[in-house]
């Protein structure tokens, strides 16, 4: 999206602190400018490590069209005994020199954490007044921010009280959503501060964690909409004050430091558009209303197309169509459609070359594709169009952060399915063992969970479920499901720090993220799995010890256990209902299918995930050993 388009969307200048982005200072500035930020906060450490003068930084920003809003941070200034006090004033003068060279008039001064600082508000006020007076002589301003872990003044009300008593036009208040919301402080009173005394506003979200606030802030901040703090309520209060300055992102996050600056910058701008839409400050098209998954498309070559077709047939799918102009085959069962794409020189064949046999597109049913696309574009997600043949219907699509296509299929006015346009159909009818797609689980590259959460939350209006930690034999998997409003679309997202877990292997061996399993619903899992096994479907064998454990844990009787065990079914129960499921063997070491029956239960069988992953790991090892013996 061009910056010009973005400016049409927002009345407020949008900025980002250089500390939020990875790379060299040049890379950070270019990433911020390219995506369309108006300004940056120059973080002192980025300047100290820059091989050039502050004037060079100013020129770089001028060339990129970026404003330098602020220089930060200035720490441990106020209420110090001599000789620190005099030294601090000298230090301020030197930083004022730097600011003038940078061409910015504002410095962020955060309240003190220094062990020698004196608990004396009058001293603090006098010091800030002296600093403001010195800044004023040079046409500069100071903004005071209350650090959540500062020794004496960690709440915005305390700092606002000090700023009022400093009573100097060149001294104002800076508020930061993390410092306010991490302490559980109420931001609503910020609305009553005169807007011109709010000198700057910084935004950061965070997951709710129980740890000391300094470590929390330094490592786990993220963009508004990625965490659990009420950033929207905070922005509402700030704008109600009449504040007209930048909304700026200041994020300290270990994952962001390891991610390409351009990706992070796009997420950042997306978060600022999203947070403004949440409070009605920006008017975006409403998120789509979803009605489940229309189809899953697999990138294949002719060999894997046939093998996958056989696997689907054992699961009760029927081959019902051939594409009119491409090497694409359609399988169906119930409401589930599987598209096997082996067309040469297509985006599917590119996907196959890069990732092997894999899901290259997910099609979701939406009420209005046009509105969904308009919202996606407003949130910096470009749409994507596949080349189409004569008479074929063009299906609108957006790209997920990993490049997977997400098609948006809306009901046709004449009631025709999208398959009638593009395929020669030959459904022979017959019973269905499976009804619908229950969930589609993806493996994410390390450090990218927040990015995906923001994508699905902002563009599709999904909600993020709590994070589960699932023990794999070779490391820990973190899993978080994104759900559409009515839960017709469920997308568990899995991420692993270890390359040795099933998720980690998947991401490293197959060049990036992707779908690693798909679950289908049934209303009678005993009949469905028995029939599939009779057709030759191969399910993951579950160890006998598992059944001893669930018998004791859930109080199941011998007959129930025997029924489950006979078919290698897994069982879970919570206060809402029962979940019974089974996993197929992995297809070409790539992905697998799951059959599920939910009776009121709305989780994903998390307690059984470690059993599944342990069996899969054993079978991978056995397969490797088998391969060696054959060789
Ligand atoms: Mg801050």
């Amino acid at each position: 999206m061009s910056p010009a388009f973005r400016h049409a969307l927002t009345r407020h200048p949008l900025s980002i602190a250089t500390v939020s982005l990875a790379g060299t200072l040049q890379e950070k500035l270019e990433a911020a400018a390219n995506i369309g930020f108006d300004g940056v906060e120059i973080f002192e450490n980025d300047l100290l490590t820059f091989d050039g003068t502050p004037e060079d930084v100013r020129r770089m920003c001028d060339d990129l069209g970026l404003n330098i809003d602020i220089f930060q941070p200035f720490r441990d200034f106020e209420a110090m005994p001599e000789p620190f006090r005099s030294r601090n004033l000298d230090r301020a003068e030197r930083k004022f020199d730097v600011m003038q060279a940078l061409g910015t008039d504002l410095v962020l001064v955060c309240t003190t954490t220094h062990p020698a600082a004196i608990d004396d508000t009058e001293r603090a006020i006098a010091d800030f007044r002296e600093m403001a007076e010195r800044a004023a002589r040079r046409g500069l301003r100071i903004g005071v921010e209350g650090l959540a872990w500062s020794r004496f003044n960690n709440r915005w009300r305390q700092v606002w009280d000090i700023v009022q008593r400093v009573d100097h036009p060149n001294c104002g208040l800076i508020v930061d959503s993390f410092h306010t919301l991490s302490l559980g402080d109420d931001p609503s009173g910020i609305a009553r501060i005169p807007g011109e005394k709010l000198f700057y506003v910084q935004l950061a979200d965070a997951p709710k964690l129980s740890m000391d606030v300094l470590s929390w802030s330094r490592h786990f901040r993220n963009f508004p909409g990625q965490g659990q703090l009420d950033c929207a309520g905070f922005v509402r209060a700030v704008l109600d004050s009449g504040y007209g300055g930048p909304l700026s992102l200041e994020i300290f996050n270990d994952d962001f430091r390891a991610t390409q600056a351009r990706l992070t910058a796009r997420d950042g701008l997306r978060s600022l558009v999203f947070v403004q839409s949440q409070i009605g400050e920006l008017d975006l098209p409403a998120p789509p209303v979803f009605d489940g998954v229309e189809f899953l498309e697999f990138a294949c070559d002719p060999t894997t197309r046939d093998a996958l077709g056989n696997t689907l047939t054992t699961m009760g799918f029927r081959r019902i169509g051939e594409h009119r102009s491409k090497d694409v085959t359609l399988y169906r069962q119930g409401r589930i459609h599987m598209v096997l794409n082996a067309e040469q020189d297509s985006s599917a064949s590119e996907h196959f070359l890069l990732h092997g046999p894999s899901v290259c597109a997910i099609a979701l049913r939406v009420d209005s594709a046009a509105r969904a696309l308009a919202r996606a574009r407003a949130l910096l997600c470009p749409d994507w169009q596949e080349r189409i043949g004569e008479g074929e219907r063009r299906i609108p699509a957006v790209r997920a952060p990993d490049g997977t296509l997400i098609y948006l299929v809306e009901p046709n006015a004449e009631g025709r399915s999208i398959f009638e346009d593009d395929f020669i159909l030959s459904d022979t009818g017959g019973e269905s063992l499976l009804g619908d797609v229950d969930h589609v689980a993806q493996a994410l590259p390390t450090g990218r969970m927040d990015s995906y959460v923001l994508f699905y939350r902002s563009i599709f209006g999904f909600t993020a479920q709590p994070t589960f930690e699932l023990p794999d034999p070779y490391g820990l998997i973190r899993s978080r499901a994104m759900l559409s409003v009515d839960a017709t679309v469920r997308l568990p997202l899995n991420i692993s720090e270890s390359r040795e877990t099933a998720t980690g292997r998947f991401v490293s061996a197959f060049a990036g993220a992707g779908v690693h399993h798909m679950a289908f619903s049934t209303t009678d899992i005993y009949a469905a799995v028995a029939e599939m096994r009779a057709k030759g479907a191969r399910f993951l064998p579950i160890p006998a010890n598992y059944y001893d454990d669930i018998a004791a844990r859930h109080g199941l009787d011998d007959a129930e256990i025997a029924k489950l065990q006979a078919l290698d079914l897994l069982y879970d129960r919570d206060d809402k209902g029962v979940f019974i499921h089974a996993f197929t063997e992995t297809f070409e070491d790539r992905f697998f299918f799951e059959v599920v029956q939910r009776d009121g239960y709305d989780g994903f069988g998390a307690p059984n995930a470690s059993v599944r992953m342990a069996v899969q790991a054993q079978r991978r090892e056995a397969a490797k050993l088998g391969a060696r013996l054959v060789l």
Side-chain angles (χ1 to χ4, degrees):
M1 179 162 71
S2 70
F5 180 71
R6 210 270 305 141
H7 280 284
L9 275 172
T10 171
R11 281 173 277 176
H12 303 280
L14 303 178
S15 297
I16 189 164
T18 52
V19 70
S20 317
L21 300 169
T24 64
L25 182 57
Q26 174 98 30
E27 287 169 332
K28 292 168 188 241
L29 297 176
E30 283 174 0
N34 282 336
I35 201 70
F37 279 99
D38 302 284
V40 288
E41 303 180 28
I42 297 291
F43 200 72
E44 184 170 33
N45 205 48
D46 282 313
L47 187 63
L48 299 182
T49 56
F50 174 68
D51 184 22
T53 65
E55 287 85 354
D56 293 335
V57 176
R58 177 183 188 165
R59 269 189 297 276
M60 278 159 53
C61 289
D62 283 347
D63 290 346
L64 291 165
L66 283 175
N67 191 49
I68 299 179
D69 294 337
I70 192 167
F71 179 64
Q72 68 124 324
F74 194 100
R75 298 187 196 278
D76 297 331
F77 170 74
E78 79 280 17
M80 293 292 281
E82 291 293 356
F84 296 107
R85 181 174 183 276
S86 300
R87 281 188 210 152
N88 273 348
L89 287 166
D90 292 344
R91 182 160 66 97
E93 294 287 354
R94 289 202 302 278
K95 298 306 170 188
F96 292 161
D97 295 339
V98 173
M99 289 163 63
Q100 288 182 307
L102 283 172
T104 185
D105 74 335
L106 183 60
V107 61
L108 180 148
V109 185
C110 38
T111 51
T112 191
T113 60
H114 200 288
I118 307 160
D119 185 6
D120 181 343
T121 306
E122 297 308 320
R123 282 289 309 278
I125 290 166
D127 289 345
F128 285 129
R129 189 179 293 131
E130 173 69 21
M131 191 182 190
E133 186 52 35
R134 290 176 179 228
R137 281 180 216 142
R138 305 196 197 204
L140 305 177
R141 300 178 298 150
I142 68 168
V144 186
E145 175 195 57
L147 281 188
W149 55 90
S150 76
R151 288 192 56 202
F152 311 117
N153 298 291
N154 60 351
R155 306 261 169 171
W156 68 263
R157 281 179 194 284
Q158 294 172 307
V159 180
W160 172 228
D161 180 59
I162 287 171
V163 166
Q164 284 175 289
R165 293 168 65 196
V166 169
D167 192 24
H168 194 290
N170 292 54
C171 177
L173 176 67
I174 291 178
V175 290
D176 176 317
S177 61
F178 182 86
H179 292 302
T180 300
L181 300 173
S182 64
L183 298 176
D185 206 359
D186 178 5
S188 60
I190 295 172
R192 292 187 290 278
I193 295 173
E196 68 278 5
K197 289 304 282 184
L198 263 186
F199 276 12
Y200 209 68
V201 171
Q202 296 176 316
L203 301 177
D205 202 340
K208 289 203 170 142
L209 300 171
S210 45
M211 65 194 305
D212 74 280
V213 70
L214 173 57
S215 307
W216 187 20
S217 173
R218 290 273 164 87
H219 301 284
F220 297 100
R221 287 184 178 215
N222 51 21
F223 291 134
Q226 293 182 329
Q228 294 168 279
L229 304 180
D230 180 16
C231 291
F234 183 87
V235 174
R236 175 79 283 156
V238 161
L239 297 183
D240 283 349
S241 76
Y243 172 76
L247 299 174
S248 185
L249 298 163
E250 188 204 31
I251 315 294
F252 307 86
N253 181 299
D254 296 349
D255 288 340
F256 290 15
R257 291 177 202 272
T259 300
Q260 272 187 60
R262 281 177 184 235
L263 295 175
T264 308
R266 184 181 57 190
D267 285 346
L269 202 56
R270 175 175 292 159
S271 79
L272 287 175
V273 174
F274 180 50
V275 77
Q276 291 181 82
S277 76
Q278 287 178 302
I279 56 168
E281 186 69 14
L282 285 180
D283 194 14
L284 298 191
V289 177
F290 289 93
D291 178 29
V293 176
E294 175 75 357
F295 66 83
L296 294 164
E297 180 174 344
F298 294 79
C300 307
D301 64 1
T303 310
T304 50
R305 174 198 58 206
D306 294 345
L308 181 56
N310 287 339
T311 297
L312 293 175
T313 305
T314 65
M315 297 180 71
F317 285 88
R318 289 180 301 281
R319 179 174 171 170
I320 64 149
E322 297 297 327
H323 198 279
R324 292 182 192 280
S325 60
K326 296 177 189 169
D327 185 353
V328 181
T329 316
L330 176 64
Y331 287 78
R332 177 160 75 197
Q333 171 166 208
R335 284 186 99 203
I336 315 164
H337 293 88
M338 309 290 259
V339 173
L340 277 49
N341 190 337
E343 174 75 356
Q344 295 297 302
D345 300 323
S346 66
S347 65
S349 64
E350 281 167 38
H351 203 275
F352 180 84
L353 284 176
L354 198 57
H355 304 288
S358 51
V359 172
C360 59
I362 302 171
L364 303 177
R365 301 186 195 100
V366 296
D367 60 333
S368 164
R371 197 183 74 239
L373 283 186
R375 181 177 175 87
R377 278 187 217 113
L379 285 156
L380 296 103
C381 179
D383 47 305
W384 188 91
Q385 296 189 332
E386 170 81 287
R387 72 184 163 85
I388 54 165
E390 183 85 15
E392 290 172 18
R393 197 199 296 197
R394 184 181 293 287
I395 311 175
V398 295
R399 278 201 187 275
D402 65 331
T404 298
L405 276 178
I406 301 181
Y407 285 113
L408 303 164
V409 180
E410 61 180 73
N412 180 280
E414 291 101 59
R416 280 169 71 81
S417 84
I418 54 161
F419 305 110
E420 288 170 73
D421 290 330
D422 294 5
F423 288 84
I424 300 163
L425 296 175
S426 59
D427 195 355
T428 50
E431 256 175 73
S432 292
L433 306 175
L434 304 173
D436 212 338
V437 174
D438 182 86
H439 61 269
V440 180
Q442 300 173 69
L444 308 190
T446 311
R448 300 286 290 144
M449 180 68 93
D450 287 344
S451 182
Y452 280 68
V453 167
L454 180 65
F455 174 84
Y456 287 114
R457 200 168 168 187
S458 63
I459 293 170
F460 289 162
F462 284 14
T463 53
Q465 301 296 101
T467 301
F468 283 97
E469 292 190 335
L470 311 174
D472 178 282
Y474 300 108
L476 210 59
I477 312 274
R478 278 191 301 128
S479 180
R480 194 168 190 197
M482 303 300 300
L483 263 58
S484 66
V485 171
D486 48 12
T488 65
V489 180
R490 298 184 183 96
L491 306 175
L493 307 175
N494 296 325
I495 201 158
S496 168
E497 300 302 326
S498 161
R499 286 169 67 95
E500 301 305 317
T501 61
T503 299
R505 278 182 69 260
F506 185 91
V507 169
S508 58
F510 299 108
V515 171
H516 70 74
H517 79 266
M518 291 139 271
F520 308 124
S521 64
T522 176
T523 52
D524 184 352
I525 193 164
Y526 295 101
V529 170
E531 179 67 21
M532 289 179 198
R533 289 168 78 115
K535 287 173 182 289
R538 294 169 58 221
F539 284 87
L540 213 56
I542 302 302
N545 291 336
Y546 169 79
Y547 293 98
D548 290 341
D549 178 56
I550 57 162
R553 189 146 39 105
H554 295 296
L556 301 178
D557 64 32
D558 290 351
E560 286 172 294
I561 290 293
K563 270 179 76 183
L564 293 166
Q565 190 167 7
L567 295 170
D568 291 309
L569 301 180
L570 298 141
Y571 179 97
D572 191 32
R573 190 170 68 207
D574 63 13
D575 49 6
K576 291 192 181 141
V578 170
F579 188 64
I580 304 176
H581 56 148
F583 296 98
T584 68
E585 295 271 18
T586 304
F587 180 81
E588 310 230 333
D589 198 25
R590 195 65 184 84
F591 52 79
F592 53 94
F593 300 106
E594 180 180 3
V595 178
V596 312
Q597 180 173 341
R598 317 181 161 263
D599 296 312
Y601 179 100
D602 50 29
F604 299 91
N608 297 327
S610 61
V611 177
R612 187 253 297 163
M613 291 189 284
V615 176
Q616 286 174 325
Q618 287 156 15
R619 294 183 81 72
R620 276 200 309 276
E621 291 306 311
K624 271 195 250 169
L625 194 61
R628 270 186 229 124
L629 291 176
V630 170
L631 287 171

